[in-house]
Amino acid sequence: MFGKLRRLSLDVSKTALEESQKLPSSERRQFLRSGLFTAGGAMVGGALAGLAPGALAKSKYPPENPSWTLSLGPGVVADPYGMPSPFESEVIRRNVPWLTADKVSSISFTPLQHLKGIITPNGLFFERHHAGRPEVDPQQHRLMIHGLVERPIILSMADLQRLPSVSQINFIECPANGGMEWRGAQLNSLQFLHGMVSCAEWTGVRLSTLLQEVGMKPEGKWVLAEGADGAAMTRSIPMAKALDDVIVAYAQNGEALRREQGYPIRLVVPGWEGNTHVKWLRRLEVGDKPWMQREETSKYTDLMADGSARGFTWVMEAKSVITSPCPEMPLGQKGVYQIEGLAWSGNGKVKAVDVSVDGGMNWQQAPLREPVLSKSLTRFALEWAWDGNPALLQSRVIDETGYVQPTLHQLRKARGSNSIYHKNAIQTWKVNADGSVINVQLS
């Protein structure tokens, strides 16, 4: 590793010296007097690593002082809630205008290519609305729990926050994530292909705690969750899952839920498809059978090759994707890079991730970066010396149950190509000789 970094440093040193030759003689003397180079031309302390060679000829770099060190900046609370740097203005959620008929029932995508670690900033967490985003007054909002229970109850937000709380890190993924590609490659973008997944630390009250408070009757086997949006989004959840790890969340990454994430409360159903995480939660009803609502009959069912439909496909099975390089993150000159990506499983922890640079003919196991948590995003990275030739990059995850992420051929063989949901097949990025990266599908 250090040998490769040294070679990289020497390459940069050589390029920098070549750049210095283009300067006028007076500037070139100043450049060399800066002390960045030894008599033999070797770089001192790797100080130039990360600087574009062309930039080295400019005078704002060390040891010179850039303009922002020569004046006072804004004081505290200039931005009372904090704002990203204006130089990060391109790091935003985006939507595909033609994907849905109207924005009130649409999706925005997380810019996975720009994120670090496993936590998605609240302002970049993907959105899915079925009837637009309601503006809910928390002082007037109530959660009703009724049905097959001993003590029906209506809770205010203050009531809810008096109960014991928990915090847990879980991903949420829309089952349509990547679903536009069942029949062929459609979009040349990591963000638009796989950006309907995000991960956060959620804080709230366990649903099991609430159900214990109201006392379930023996015949209660299902829970219906209903949102306060214009669509009255509803999903049926079996009691075993409700009593396992589901929470009624009121905070995300240390702050109150954002409005587009269900403020003031939402359901978090770890590992299950995003539509079950009902936002703006207003009602929980205990019953003896599923309600078979619109979102679990005509929608969110997987259409098979023979025309039949798979219902209640709740679990988001293991998936991984390379986030760099990708179409939005092309390569520069040949040399050493980190192939980096994200993996997750709705069935538990990620056990391993393999990476291929030749379209799946050969695989190498990529080190996982801590933390590795259950039903959470997990980051992986593998060092790669790119020789400047075209390459086919892939990743495949194996979760703790032994499930192996399928190839696209395997998935189509099992499920056909009529569905738009649960497409977790291996993604292929083609790296061209000029460093650009495109979305391709291998037969």
Side-chain angles (χ1 to χ4, degrees), residues 8-297:
L8 177 64
S9 298
L10 291 174
D11 289 344
V12 174
S13 300
K14 181 181 177 182
T15 306
L17 285 173
E18 291 172 350
E19 289 290 319
S20 74
Q21 300 296 327
K22 302 174 185 176
L23 296 174
S25 57
S26 58
E27 293 185 31
R28 183 165 175 262
R29 284 195 296 274
Q30 183 180 2
F31 179 77
L32 295 174
R33 278 201 305 270
S34 67
L36 292 173
F37 293 89
T38 66
M43 188 165 62
V44 176
L48 292 180
L51 296 182
L56 295 170
K58 300 178 180 179
S59 61
K60 290 185 177 178
Y61 301 105
E64 304 300 329
N65 294 318
S67 59
W68 50 85
T69 69
L70 305 176
S71 61
L72 298 175
V76 296
V77 298
D79 295 312
Y81 201 79
M83 294 288 291
S85 164
F87 297 101
E88 301 295 325
S89 61
E90 287 297 308
V91 184
I92 55 174
R93 292 183 292 223
R94 290 183 167 85
N95 70 308
V96 179
W98 48 261
L99 192 60
T100 56
D102 197 302
K103 282 187 177 180
V104 300
S105 180
S106 191
I107 304 160
S108 72
F109 300 83
T110 293
L112 298 177
Q113 69 275 14
H114 292 302
L115 301 188
K116 309 298 180 187
I118 61 171
I119 297 296
T120 308
N122 291 343
L124 298 177
F125 208 96
F126 85 93
E127 306 164 88
R128 172 70 170 109
H129 303 160
H130 293 79
R133 168 179 56 77
E135 200 72 71
V136 180
D137 180 350
Q139 297 298 321
Q140 299 183 42
H141 190 67
R142 298 291 184 270
L143 173 62
M144 179 170 69
I145 307 176
H146 66 120
L148 297 175
V149 300
E150 300 292 344
R151 299 174 295 277
I153 194 172
I154 296 177
L155 298 169
S156 68
M157 286 299 299
D159 295 331
L160 189 67
Q161 296 192 27
R162 290 170 59 190
L163 296 169
S165 66
V166 295
S167 295
Q168 56 195 43
I169 296 175
N170 297 122
F171 75 85
I172 297 179
E173 182 181 21
C174 176
N177 198 23
M180 291 170 284
E181 303 250 317
W182 272 99
R183 299 188 179 186
Q186 300 289 318
L187 296 168
N188 200 39
S189 161
L190 168 64
Q191 184 168 2
F192 291 140
L193 283 177
H194 301 288
M196 286 192 281
V197 64
S198 303
C199 186
E201 181 196 57
W202 307 99
T203 299
V205 179
R206 289 203 183 282
L207 181 52
S208 58
T209 300
L210 294 172
L211 293 174
Q212 186 177 17
E213 287 290 315
V214 298
M216 292 182 299
K217 294 182 177 178
E219 58 269 37
K221 304 297 182 187
W222 289 77
V223 176
L224 180 74
E226 180 183 281
D229 58 332
M233 176 71 184
T234 44
R235 285 304 311 258
S236 303
I237 297 171
M239 190 59 72
K241 181 65 174 176
L243 296 176
D244 181 16
D245 54 3
V246 178
I247 65 173
V248 175
Y250 46 74
Q252 178 181 357
N253 295 332
E255 66 174 13
L257 294 178
R258 296 289 178 96
R259 297 176 298 175
E260 58 269 38
Q261 296 304 327
Y263 181 84
I265 50 174
R266 73 175 302 169
L267 218 53
V268 172
V269 189
W272 284 25
E273 56 187 29
N275 58 76
T276 62
H277 303 232
V278 174
K279 299 190 286 189
W280 314 289
L281 184 66
R282 67 176 295 271
R283 188 168 72 91
L284 293 167
E285 181 178 355
V286 176
D288 60 354
K289 56 183 178 299
W291 279 257
M292 306 306 289
Q293 299 282 348
R294 173 183 179 273
E295 309 299 346
E296 47 207 23
T297 52

Side-chain angles (χ1 to χ4, degrees), residues 303-337:
L303 186 60
M304 302 293 284
D306 63 359
S308 63
R310 293 199 312 162
F312 294 125
T313 51
W314 300 296
V315 176
M316 299 307 298
E317 293 182 310
K319 181 177 176 179
S320 69
V321 64
I322 292 171
T323 58
S324 182
C326 70
E328 295 95 330
M329 304 293 279
L331 300 178
Q333 61 187 8
K334 60 184 179 182
V336 178
Y337 290 89

